[in-house]
Amino acid sequence: KVSPSGRLKGMEILRQSAGTKDLKRSWGVGLAWALLQLGAVAEKAPDAVASASAWSVLPRDSHVHFSLSMGYLQATANEIVLGGASGDGELSRLIWDTEHALTVDGGVRYEWGPRLSLHADFSTALIDEGHMVDYDWLGSTPRWTERSLHPDTDLDAYYRVDVGASWAFLKGKRYSLGALAGFRYIDISWTARGGSYVYSTDPDCGLFRDDRGSFPSGENGISYRQKIPGFYLGPDWRWNSGRLEAMTTAIIGVTVGATDRDRHWNRNLLFDESFDSQVFFGFQVGLSYALTPSLRLFVDARYDHYELMKGSIRVTDLSTSRVQS
């Protein structure tokens, strides 16, 4: 049997029908996640807020705000192989999901004068269970011919780094509207173990979804990791009334130099991909309440979505060190 993904069969068909040139441009990946977080922020005065939480007491004349919070992460990544005669047919799709990962978030914000602010934020997730489903389309049928389910899937790591600046071009007594620009980096990885499969011996000759079985429990099947850097722009709106403050941001950006790595443990194969630039977007909303002039509680939520990226692929046979690209 192949590894917990029948995708290797799809890769072989792709080589035969489209050739190496089409194989290089036929890899796609997308990612989306949502995060809800709750915490407190230590700050200069009740008329400023940061986007995470920490507690410490700062001097009254300080313009630095530290934050520390805990959150709740949902993330989904789609890993797709395209091919066929046109090069656009879907041969394989792996869907990686995490639904309830606990995150720890920290940040610092520096207000440089009345209009300019700088920020740096970091998030990481605690190891959490997930789920992976792998579909393959072989032969001429439009219906999936092979599927494997992997409920024993772990979120191995999640890191998010965001640095940027905001300039408030409109500023009133209770509100401000600014222009936001920054850089964001995402690093997320999963490992799927064990699971069950449904294969088709020959879907064009009536042997359709006829081979069923399971993989050894706890055995490594596939490990997958994405690294996605990108730059973004967007508006930054804030409003306050006494102890209460609300904020919202919306951004649109472009990825730069995104990569991923897919290891099939049973076949000892390593797939490395490099992607062309693609659009991503997101938004964040938050509400905070000042307990003291130096401590504020807040809750916020954010959503990020990355459009499907296409790029080149390099396959390494780890048993022989042979590389194909």
Side-chain angles (χ1 to χ4, degrees), residues 7 27 79 94 96 222-225 260-264 269-273:
R7 182 166 64 88
W27 194 270
E79 184 185 1
L94 286 78
W96 300 84
I222 302 174
S223 294
Y224 181 59
R225 182 179 184 181
D260 76 6
R261 169 166 285 188
D262 181 341
R263 178 167 182 175
H264 288 235
L269 293 175
L270 191 65
F271 299 83
D272 288 295
E273 292 83 39

Side-chain angles (χ1 to χ4, degrees), residues 11-84:
M11 293 287 293
E12 292 170 348
I13 288 177
L14 181 60
R15 294 192 196 106
Q16 294 170 4
S17 63
T20 304
K21 184 176 180 180
D22 283 345
L23 176 64
K24 291 183 67 176
R25 62 169 183 263
S26 63
W27 194 270
V29 62
L31 177 68
W33 66 86
L35 176 69
L36 175 67
Q37 58 184 12
L38 175 68
V41 60
E43 57 183 41
K44 166 194 168 186
D47 60 353
V49 68
S51 61
S53 74
W55 77 272
S56 93
V57 177
L58 302 178
R60 295 280 304 176
D61 59 351
S62 174
H63 293 275
V64 181
H65 312 271
F66 297 100
S67 62
L68 178 65
S69 66
M70 300 191 73
Y72 173 81
L73 173 73
Q74 292 182 303
T76 299
N78 283 268
E79 184 185 1
I80 303 168
V81 177
L82 304 175

Side-chain angles (χ1 to χ4, degrees), residues 36-37 49-51 237-239 244-249 283-289 297-302:
L36 175 67
Q37 58 184 12
V49 68
S51 61
W237 175 83
R238 296 173 186 270
W239 171 87
L244 191 66
E245 180 171 309
M247 59 81 66
T248 183
T249 63
F283 64 85
Q284 181 174 355
V285 294
L287 187 66
S288 65
Y289 182 81
L297 291 178
F298 74 91
V299 59
D300 70 13
R302 68 171 181 256

Side-chain angles (χ1 to χ4, degrees), residues 30-37 72-78 97-98 105 123 158 160 162 180 184 186 232-233 247-253 279-286 300-308:
L31 177 68
W33 66 86
L35 176 69
L36 175 67
Q37 58 184 12
Y72 173 81
L73 173 73
Q74 292 182 303
T76 299
N78 283 268
D97 277 311
T98 290
D105 311 270
S123 298
Y158 167 78
R160 181 183 187 270
D162 190 309
L180 180 67
R184 182 173 296 171
I186 303 294
Y232 63 83
L233 297 168
M247 59 81 66
T248 183
T249 63
I251 59 103
I252 185 168
V279 171
F280 68 93
F281 62 86
F283 64 85
Q284 181 174 355
V285 294
D300 70 13
R302 68 171 181 256
Y303 173 82
D304 294 287
H305 176 84
Y306 288 75
E307 291 293 319
L308 185 69

Side-chain angles (χ1 to χ4, degrees), residues 34-302:
L35 176 69
L36 175 67
Q37 58 184 12
L38 175 68
V41 60
E43 57 183 41
K44 166 194 168 186
D47 60 353
V49 68
S51 61
S53 74
W55 77 272
S56 93
V57 177
L58 302 178
R60 295 280 304 176
D61 59 351
S62 174
H63 293 275
V64 181
H65 312 271
F66 297 100
S67 62
L68 178 65
S69 66
M70 300 191 73
Y72 173 81
L73 173 73
Q74 292 182 303
T76 299
N78 283 268
E79 184 185 1
I80 303 168
V81 177
L82 304 175
S86 66
D88 294 327
E90 189 168 343
L91 295 181
S92 181
R93 178 186 290 260
L94 286 78
I95 304 172
W96 300 84
D97 277 311
T98 290
E99 296 185 354
H100 44 69
L102 184 66
T103 65
V104 177
D105 311 270
V108 59
R109 180 179 173 186
Y110 178 66
E111 295 182 359
W112 195 344
R115 295 184 181 271
L116 178 63
S117 65
L118 310 175
H119 74 264
D121 299 304
F122 174 79
S123 298
T124 187
L126 305 181
I127 294 176
D128 188 74
E129 295 180 355
H131 187 267
M132 193 270 277
V133 182
D134 179 7
Y135 295 97
D136 292 280
W137 290 263
L138 306 180
S140 58
T141 176
R143 300 160 63 191
W144 65 262
T145 57
E146 304 194 345
R147 183 192 67 188
S148 59
L149 305 176
H150 307 276
D152 184 11
T153 297
D154 288 334
L155 176 66
D156 296 328
Y158 167 78
Y159 304 104
R160 181 183 187 270
V161 177
D162 190 309
V163 294
S166 177
W167 175 265
F169 55 86
L170 289 178
K171 195 171 181 68
K173 183 178 180 180
R174 297 187 179 276
Y175 73 91
S176 69
L177 179 62
L180 180 67
F183 170 81
R184 182 173 296 171
Y185 173 77
I186 303 294
D187 188 335
I188 188 169
S189 59
W190 290 269
T191 294
R193 299 175 178 86
S196 61
Y197 62 83
V198 177
Y199 288 159
S200 299
T201 303
D202 193 338
D204 291 333
C205 294
L207 299 177
F208 183 68
R209 301 180 185 173
D210 58 309
D211 186 6
R212 298 169 182 262
S214 60
F215 303 101
S217 178
E219 179 181 80
N220 283 350
I222 302 174
S223 294
Y224 181 59
R225 182 179 184 181
Q226 293 181 346
K227 298 179 181 180
I228 309 179
F231 294 92
Y232 63 83
L233 297 168
D236 177 12
W237 175 83
R238 296 173 186 270
W239 171 87
N240 69 80
S241 177
R243 293 175 177 266
L244 191 66
E245 180 171 309
M247 59 81 66
T248 183
T249 63
I251 59 103
I252 185 168
V254 61
T255 63
V256 179
T259 63
D260 76 6
R261 169 166 285 188
D262 181 341
R263 178 167 182 175
H264 288 235
W265 293 86
N266 291 348
R267 296 301 296 263
N268 218 19
L269 293 175
L270 191 65
F271 299 83
D272 288 295
E273 292 83 39
S274 299
F275 298 102
D276 300 331
S277 295
Q278 183 56 284
V279 171
F280 68 93
F281 62 86
F283 64 85
Q284 181 174 355
V285 294
L287 187 66
S288 65
Y289 182 81
L291 297 178
T292 74
S294 299
L295 186 64
R296 178 180 292 271
L297 291 178
F298 74 91
V299 59
D300 70 13
R302 68 171 181 256

